[in-house]
Amino acid sequence: AILILQKPTEERTSSDLAFLVKCTENVGFFKKYDEDTHVQCMSKMYHVHLKRGEHALNTVGLLLKFFFKEKKLIGEYGENFWVTLKGKVGIFIPKEVEVRGKNGISRKQKALTRIVGQGGGYAFGELALLERKPRAATIVCEDDCDFAVLDKAPFQQILRNL
């Protein structure tokens, strides 16, 4: 699947697309659509490889986030749908925790808390394609990971053509 997703979209054959559809047939997001729409989505998806510790987020922000090591991903608006092909990701949400300062005074603050880990086949970011809502979680690669990614603009074009 990775080799197919690395090909320019115009070079993908119908058998390439059929293979990608087969690889993603259990992804709940695609079950909402007919096979033709699923094939069209596969024709627009591309490969992203992230190293352990990197955050999955919109590709426009990748370079800035990784060079400046910003960790502020919850609350940002997503522009991509991600399907984990290989590797494991951790899902983190903000939780209020009690922190004791050097002066001994306790205060509450939000901290990212890992709620679960997911492996190949796990998909996230579908709301970014459908609605303009801020992220509810941060996804962090716990292994080196490979993803199939679909951007919002091509997906919306596919829906307009239905």
Side-chain angles (χ1 to χ4, degrees):
I2 293 168
L3 292 175
I4 295 170
L5 291 166
Q6 290 173 333
K7 285 183 182 182
T9 57
E10 63 277 1
E11 292 179 17
R12 294 180 191 164
T13 66
S14 58
S15 60
D16 288 341
L17 296 175
F19 180 76
L20 292 174
V21 166
K22 183 76 174 150
C23 290
T24 57
E25 68 186 356
N26 292 322
V27 174
F29 178 76
F30 294 121
K31 291 180 180 183
K32 298 182 237 179
Y33 300 100
D34 62 27
E35 186 173 348
D36 184 54
T37 303
H38 191 169
V39 170
Q40 288 181 60
C41 287
M42 293 299 101
S43 75
K44 300 299 183 188
M45 291 187 93
Y46 56 92
H47 172 254
V48 171
H49 176 82
L50 297 177
K51 296 196 178 295
R52 182 176 187 212
E54 291 183 323
H55 297 88
L57 57 115
N58 70 50
T59 53
V60 173
L62 281 175
L63 292 175
L64 289 175
K65 295 297 179 194
F66 297 137
F67 283 121
F68 297 107
K69 303 294 182 197
E70 292 179 30
K71 305 256 190 251
K72 188 184 76 174
L73 302 179
I74 291 173
E76 291 183 352
Y77 290 93
E79 294 288 325
N80 320 85
F81 171 64
W82 301 69
V83 178
T84 309
L85 300 172
K86 183 178 146 204
K88 186 175 180 183
V89 296
I91 295 95
F92 292 78
I93 61 167
K95 279 195 162 182
E96 206 166 86
V97 295
E98 195 166 310
V99 177
R100 185 163 301 236
K102 292 178 184 177
N103 59 4
I105 298 174
S106 293
R107 62 180 166 75
K108 293 185 183 242
Q109 76 178 42
K110 295 241 180 202
L112 278 182
T113 304
R114 183 182 185 276
I115 56 167
V116 71
Q118 296 286 343
Y122 178 68
F124 54 96
E126 57 271 12
L127 286 179
L129 299 182
L130 302 170
E131 302 174 30
R132 180 148 171 79
K133 288 190 175 179
R135 297 181 202 289
T138 292
I139 309 296
V140 179
C141 298
E142 295 181 343
D143 298 325
D144 287 1
C145 293
D146 290 290
F147 300 95
V149 179
L150 177 61
D151 293 337
K152 186 175 193 166
F155 179 72
Q156 289 180 333
Q157 184 63 46
I158 291 167
L159 291 185
R160 279 193 292 273
N161 293 335
L162 288 179

